[in-house]
Amino acid sequence: MSRVRAPLVGRARELGELRAAFSDVRGGTPRTLVVAGEAGIGKSRLLEEFVAQVREADEALVVSGACADSGSGPLPYAALEGVLRDVVGALGVERTLEAAGPGADALGLVAPRLIDVRTDISPGRLPEVVAGLLAAVGRERPVVVVVEDLHWADEATRATVARLARMGMDESVLLVLSYRSDDVGRGHPLRTTLAELERARLVTRVDLPRLDDAEIAQLAAALLDAEDIGPGLADLVDRSEGVPFFVEELVGFLGVDLPDSLRDVLLLRYSRLSPAAREFCRQVAAAGPRAPYDLLTDALGADAVAASEPVAREAVEAAVLVGDADAYAFRHALVQEAVLTELLPGERRRLHAAYAEALEARPTSVARLSEIADHWWRARVLDRALAAAVSGHDAADRAGAWTTAAALGERALELWEMVPDAEAVAGVPHHAMLVRVAQSVRSMTRLDRALALCHQALDEWPDDDPLGLAGALDDASVIAAQAGSVEGRAFLERALALVPPGEHDEVRARLLVSKARDAMLDGRSAEGITTATECYETAMSVGASREASIALNMRGVSRVTLGDAGGFDDLERCRELAADDFVALSRYYVNASEARLVWGRYEDALALAEEGARRSRALGAGWSSDAMLEGNAAEAQLALGEWDTAAAWYERAVPLVSTSTFAVYLRERWAWLLMWRGDVPAAEAIVRAKLADWERFGRLEEQVRTRVAATLAELALLRGDAEEALRLISGVVLRPDQERNPAYQLPVLAVAARAIGQLRRSAGAEAAGAEAPDAEASGGAVPDAAPFQAQVDAYAEWPTHPLWSALFSAELGEGPWSAVAESAGPAHLRPYALYRDGVALLDAGERAAARDRLTEAVAAARAIGCGLVAGQAEELLETGGLRAHRRGDGEELTERERQVLELVAEGLTNGQVAERLFISPKTASVHVSAILRKLGVSSRTEAAVKARSGTLGE
């Protein structure tokens, strides 16, 4: 049969969407499209046509890569290797490294010969470096990035596309992704990535349907170069079921008996080849998704490959294989998968062993080590499969390729019982391997499995290796903490007992770091100071400057937590000890900025966090380091009223953070911000999705449990459920025998006062009703505020106590709201206090004063983007009859109102405006009402006309 030259049929709409997206990119708007469909539906053919048109008509840089399955999991970096190869081909090595910036060495993970990878910098940097490289190119010229077969992507590729999809508006990049929709089930990791992008409205989905009967006929006629394919059409329609690839496979066999099974349909062309050509196809299939010529030569022999050229040509002409400048591959992955099943057992073992031997003779990379391990496994050479799995696991773990590391680690454990003298073969004892695999599995957030592996390792650990056991216990304590298990503290105490003072103090110092950190995070500040002091002295005695710096860091934070300003001196001394050690230095920046946040020194906190983030980026230390500092900066921006900047960062960053304590910090703050900006449904959605994680991590960290309780309580209050709000707060502020951090406790206590105030007002209203004799009869006694007041009073020496005490009293109706409005504190409290003062004045009958205060609240809330308070105050002005209803009151439109008006002028409804601006429909409605009032018009149409006429300033 002749080579398939299939035209593109039935895809005009989808091709048009791709062209339109590229037009947007050329105009300066980055776009991301996801092409989805079942196997054989024509995703690659569509993208091939689109890319050909782009290359023919435009000077855009087109780079592409395809993910691949090694047979036992994703082939690491497969797609990124293709993308990087195209970039280097277009720009050259020097320009590529320059565009990649300070983290360019991470590209060496994909291309070892390109650049050496720094071992002193944390792994996991590759996604941001690749995304940054493409973004840098996109600032100079349009770039089209095609990543195919995303259902086989490793975590590095998924993280890369997630980052690319969130690029800024100055990067002209079109990202086009494709995946088999029938291969992405409920538990597939790609579902989470796509769901996050779709929720953020960052992607346009292009679904490829099956061809209809007319399109099947059109495709078949084109393939046969005939106007009519005759009576075989009905059979072709029935057998192909509208899948273009099956049409291509079947069209040349019309009139013959066709097989019933899908596998045999896929092998139709293969089965018509000569025996020698079929053998060559099997050899190519065993090599993997792509069979480079030099690999075939090394594995099969130069003479054999040269002699196979005639049969290779036969397979290419029959459209079973395709060839390019470097390699053979199957025309479709489905055919490769079918041909692999044709391998006989002996043939399979021989070929896979040959490929493993050939790959072992080449320069190593994570991807290559993974391939070697897989080939030895398939060859059933179990001892070499075990050794390769261990070495591949270790390399993948160092490189941050945790999907591969976890898969190879689990493979090694599976092989252990099958291989005689496995410890000698692996080069590591079984108990030590268990801990290594636990670390990799933990990085995949399979925390229960990781903790189970730790328990098994600890049970197996030999008594004559106390230092090794102490290290394993330390690792287990970290995993236990991340899994939300309190047993981590017992692990640490057991580890410290194995390493008494004066013996192996360098090991003891590391253990004391873990213990001090646990105490610091849990709010056990006095214990944290004692442990950190011992850690500092121990570390200094053995010259361990990193541990000494970190110990002073934690002691400083614990002292600051107790209100001791001397803690800031510890933090500055820890910075001196850190010198150029960025591991210690980054901890300084994170904790020093956090310490200033909790003391209300927001400008200082912002400056420190931004300084640390700049140093981290300049070093190329990786996004995880940058993000912790940027997160502190965002929190300072919240306090300073820079909400739009903070919101943009949370929206971009939060979806990129995997399950961890840090993810809880960020998502809770994002939910809080969404709530106060007025998008309560979005905040509630985050809570529903993440509450289990929040509760788990809250068992071990005071900051988590207090902030989560406060945010959940505030949402309950907005639902009118003050009793639930008070229950949530009581669980964290009235816990017995628990040290508490005033910085976290005082804001929660203020929410408790709000709940009690609501319950008091509700009880009073019911008691005043004709049918409600008293509060107790209508639902129980009003809660006593005394226990909460006692907590507030206990923190009288805390720097921000005056503000929170004033807020606590005002919420209970026992102090003036003006005291809150006039205090320095988080930016949202001023508009909130003005609003509450307006409510109180209106209740007292002072309408003019209430109107002034509520109007002031609206202005203050709008100034920072506090849509919740602005909406509440606007509503009260309207419903209370406090508006001065005049046609055009002379007020200027706010920036947000101008954005809303632009969309109204486009004809969008309130709901559509809300979707576009990521606000609630109610908030959009409030904005539209304000716009109509300020413009002195009575309808949306009039407002739109005025906007289009350019007379807004008149």
Side-chain angles (χ1 to χ4, degrees):
M1 292 189 58
S2 63
R3 175 195 292 269
V4 172
R5 293 184 177 87
L8 190 65
V9 171
R11 300 292 182 239
R13 177 186 63 80
E14 294 82 359
L15 186 58
E17 289 192 61
L18 290 167
R19 288 171 174 163
F22 182 62
S23 178
D24 288 344
V25 168
R26 292 187 65 189
T29 302
R31 293 285 306 277
T32 299
L33 274 70
V34 177
V35 179
E38 62 189 297
I41 203 65
K43 300 180 292 296
S44 295
R45 181 66 185 86
L46 171 67
L47 297 182
E48 177 186 319
E49 182 75 18
F50 170 66
V51 165
Q53 292 183 8
V54 169
R55 284 179 168 148
E56 180 179 350
D58 199 275
E59 294 183 357
L61 172 63
V62 180
V63 298
S64 64
C67 306
D69 183 20
S70 68
S72 56
L75 188 64
Y77 311 144
L80 301 184
E81 182 180 4
V83 168
L84 183 58
R85 183 170 56 244
D86 287 348
V87 172
V88 173
L91 304 183
V93 172
E94 184 177 343
R95 177 71 184 92
T96 298
L97 296 178
E98 179 185 345
D105 64 286
L107 300 178
L109 296 170
V110 179
R113 296 181 181 179
L114 189 68
I115 187 173
D116 292 332
V117 181
R118 288 177 289 175
T119 57
D120 59 332
I121 301 295
S122 59
R125 296 174 295 129
L126 181 63
E128 66 190 282
V129 173
V130 174
L133 165 63
L134 294 169
V137 178
R139 285 190 284 271
E140 299 177 357
R141 62 193 284 199
V143 178
V144 178
V145 182
V146 179
V147 179
E148 295 196 67
D149 297 328
L150 209 59
H151 51 282
W152 285 327
D154 61 333
E155 82 284 350
T157 303
R158 292 194 301 273
T160 301
V161 301
R163 282 165 169 76
L164 283 169
R166 289 178 167 81
M167 284 185 300
M169 295 302 291
D170 58 341
E171 286 101 17
S172 297
V173 177
L174 172 60
L175 176 62
V176 184
L177 313 171
S178 75
Y179 75 96
R180 286 187 195 173
S181 51
D182 46 337
D183 277 5
V184 179
R186 182 178 297 274
H188 198 289
L190 180 60
R191 288 178 68 94
T192 302
T193 301
L194 294 178
E196 292 281 8
L197 295 176
E198 288 169 356
R199 266 197 297 272
R201 300 179 180 88
L202 294 173
V203 300
T204 300
R205 187 180 173 100
V206 180
D207 289 297
L208 299 190
R210 294 186 177 189
L211 304 180
D212 60 27
D213 292 2
E215 291 165 341
I216 294 172
Q218 180 185 352
L219 177 58
L223 289 167
L224 293 173
D225 196 19
E227 294 184 4
D228 185 0
I229 65 172
L233 176 61
D235 194 29
L236 182 62
V237 168
D238 182 57
R239 293 298 183 88
S240 70
E241 297 182 338
V243 177
F245 179 69
F246 296 155
V247 174
E248 296 170 12
E249 293 301 286
L250 293 167
V251 70
F253 297 92
L254 295 177
V256 302
D257 291 333
L258 294 176
D260 293 325
S261 74
L262 173 61
R263 172 182 172 278
D264 289 340
V265 168
L266 294 171
L267 291 173
L268 276 172
R269 295 175 185 274
Y270 166 83
S271 64
R272 295 292 183 94
L273 297 174
S274 66
R278 291 200 300 273
E279 179 184 9
F280 182 74
C281 288
R282 293 193 298 273
Q283 293 169 345
V284 170
R290 195 167 175 271
Y293 300 142
D294 54 354
L295 176 61
L296 291 172
T297 299
D298 291 346
L300 307 177
D303 292 342
V305 172
S308 70
E309 287 184 2
V311 294
R313 181 176 298 279
E314 179 187 349
V316 170
E317 289 298 326
V320 176
L321 297 178
V322 294
D324 58 26
D326 301 311
Y328 290 111
F330 282 83
R331 189 170 65 87
H332 199 285
L334 288 173
V335 179
Q336 185 210 10
E337 293 163 12
V339 171
L340 277 173
T341 66
E342 291 286 287
L343 289 167
L344 296 173
E347 187 180 29
R348 182 187 308 276
R349 293 188 177 191
R350 174 178 56 80
L351 287 172
H352 283 297
Y355 287 127
E357 293 273 13
L359 289 169
E360 283 184 333
R362 298 173 171 220
T364 59
S365 66
V366 173
R368 188 152 293 153
L369 288 169
S370 175
E371 288 183 279
I372 292 168
D374 193 64
H375 280 302
W376 283 127
W377 168 257
R378 292 171 178 275
R380 307 309 291 169
V381 183
L382 300 185
D383 57 342
R384 300 187 74 168
L386 173 59
V390 171
S391 60
H393 164 272
D394 293 348
D397 190 67
R398 287 192 300 271
W402 291 298
T403 299
T404 299
L408 290 175
E410 296 280 18
R411 169 78 57 76
L413 296 178
E414 180 183 353
L415 284 165
W416 209 279
E417 300 300 324
M418 307 179 191
V419 175
D421 198 10
E423 181 175 324
V425 171
V428 60
H430 187 251
H431 52 271
M433 190 66 199
L434 285 166
V435 174
R436 293 188 192 181
V437 179
Q439 297 283 18
S440 302
V441 171
R442 177 198 66 163
S443 299
M444 293 297 295
T445 68
R446 293 168 50 202
L447 298 171
D448 291 339
R449 170 62 175 161
L451 191 55
L453 289 170
C454 283
H455 278 291
Q456 184 180 350
L458 296 177
D459 289 343
E460 292 182 10
W461 214 278
D463 294 334
D464 59 357
D465 182 22
L467 291 182
L469 178 56
L473 286 161
D474 191 13
D475 292 336
S477 73
V478 174
I479 292 173
Q482 292 188 336
S485 170
V486 296
E487 64 186 319
R489 290 165 193 164
F491 288 153
L492 280 174
E493 293 299 339
R494 183 181 167 194
L496 284 164
L498 292 168
V499 190
E503 298 181 20
H504 304 287
D505 277 348
E506 69 284 354
V507 176
R508 185 172 178 82
R510 290 194 294 271
L511 297 173
L512 288 167
V513 163
S514 297
K515 183 179 178 181
R517 180 178 181 275
D518 176 68
M520 177 190 75
L521 292 175
D522 194 41
R524 306 190 316 273
S525 300
E527 179 187 338
I529 292 170
T530 300
T531 306
T533 299
E534 182 187 354
C535 180
Y536 170 70
E537 293 169 351
T538 303
M540 290 297 287
S541 71
V542 293
S545 57
R546 173 182 290 182
E547 284 72 21
S549 172
I550 293 171
L552 278 182
N553 186 322
M554 293 183 295
R555 189 174 77 179
V557 170
S558 297
R559 291 176 67 186
V560 167
T561 295
L562 293 178
D564 179 0
F568 290 106
D569 296 332
D570 276 346
L571 286 167
E572 292 314 304
R573 173 62 179 146
C574 101
R575 180 179 191 170
E576 294 173 10
L577 278 173
D580 293 328
D581 181 349
F582 195 74
V583 172
L585 197 57
S586 64
R587 291 200 186 192
Y588 159 77
Y589 280 116
V590 170
N591 285 344
S593 57
E594 172 69 17
R596 285 159 176 81
L597 276 173
V598 300
W599 271 46
R601 300 178 181 177
Y602 307 125
E603 292 87 353
D604 293 344
L606 179 59
L608 265 177
E610 289 181 335
E611 178 187 334
R614 285 193 299 271
R615 292 193 65 167
S616 177
R617 287 191 292 270
L619 183 64
W623 187 80
S624 59
S625 174
D626 302 348
M628 296 191 73
L629 291 159
E630 290 171 357
N632 278 7
E635 192 169 337
Q637 288 161 347
L638 293 185
L640 293 169
E642 300 172 15
W643 281 20
D644 286 345
T645 303
W649 185 83
Y650 282 117
E651 187 173 330
R652 181 179 71 255
V654 170
L656 302 178
V657 182
S658 60
T659 302
S660 61
T661 308
F662 180 50
V664 175
Y665 293 155
L666 295 189
R667 288 186 186 277
E668 182 278 325
R669 286 291 85 187
W670 194 18
W672 182 93
L673 179 57
L674 287 167
M675 173 180 64
W676 279 91
R677 282 170 72 87
D679 196 350
V680 176
E684 294 273 18
I686 292 176
V687 170
R688 286 193 299 272
K690 299 298 179 181
L691 184 56
D693 287 340
W694 293 8
E695 291 175 341
R696 174 158 54 91
F697 286 103
R699 297 173 202 154
L700 300 170
E701 295 207 17
E702 184 186 20
Q703 183 178 0
V704 171
R705 59 177 170 265
T706 51
R707 286 188 164 178
V708 165
T711 295
L712 294 179
E714 288 189 282
L715 287 168
L717 288 168
L718 291 173
R719 295 193 301 269
D721 193 347
E723 290 182 349
E724 170 64 7
L726 194 59
R727 183 192 68 78
L728 289 162
I729 298 300
S730 299
V732 296
V733 301
L734 300 181
R735 293 174 63 185
D737 304 322
Q738 174 68 49
E739 290 186 52
R740 299 176 181 87
N741 183 338
Y744 304 136
Q745 295 288 324
L746 283 168
V748 185
L749 288 163
V751 180
R754 193 192 314 176
I756 294 171
Q758 281 196 15
L759 290 169
R760 285 179 176 178
R761 290 190 294 275
S762 177
E766 291 185 6
E771 299 181 6
D774 55 47
E776 188 170 356
S778 61
V782 175
D784 183 6
F788 303 97
Q789 181 70 65
Q791 292 285 346
V792 174
D793 294 342
Y795 304 136
E797 301 302 317
W798 185 252
T800 60
H801 176 268
L803 166 68
W804 296 109
S805 178
L807 179 58
F808 187 91
S809 297
E811 294 283 16
L812 294 176
E814 299 171 357
W817 282 105
S818 59
V820 180
E822 294 165 5
S823 296
H828 72 291
L829 289 182
R830 182 171 182 272
Y832 173 71
L834 291 169
Y835 163 67
R836 292 297 304 276
D837 199 18
V839 172
L841 289 167
L842 186 60
D843 289 343
E846 299 181 35
R847 295 178 58 80
R851 182 182 62 227
D852 291 344
R853 196 73 79 247
L854 290 170
T855 301
E856 191 179 358
V858 170
R862 284 178 178 166
I864 65 171
C866 185
L868 181 67
V869 171
Q872 290 171 331
E874 287 272 11
E875 185 176 2
L876 190 54
L877 283 167
E878 295 288 347
T879 59
L882 302 177
R883 284 286 190 202
H885 292 289
R886 296 179 282 127
R887 291 185 61 81
D889 57 12
E891 288 183 66
E892 290 287 336
L893 296 184
T894 66
E895 183 60 33
R896 174 64 86 183
E897 288 166 350
R898 288 182 179 275
Q899 294 172 347
V900 171
L901 180 56
E902 289 176 5
L903 298 177
V904 168
E906 293 179 19
L908 273 64
T909 66
N910 286 355
Q912 291 168 328
V913 169
E915 284 188 16
R916 188 76 65 86
L917 296 179
F918 305 104
I919 59 178
S920 70
K922 181 177 179 181
T923 301
S925 176
V926 170
H927 284 313
V928 171
S929 297
I931 290 167
L932 299 183
R933 172 178 56 78
K934 290 182 179 183
L935 296 183
V937 297
S938 58
S939 70
R940 296 165 60 93
T941 301
E942 289 181 75
V945 169
K946 196 161 187 177
R948 286 193 287 264
S949 69
T951 60
L952 291 182
E954 299 176 5

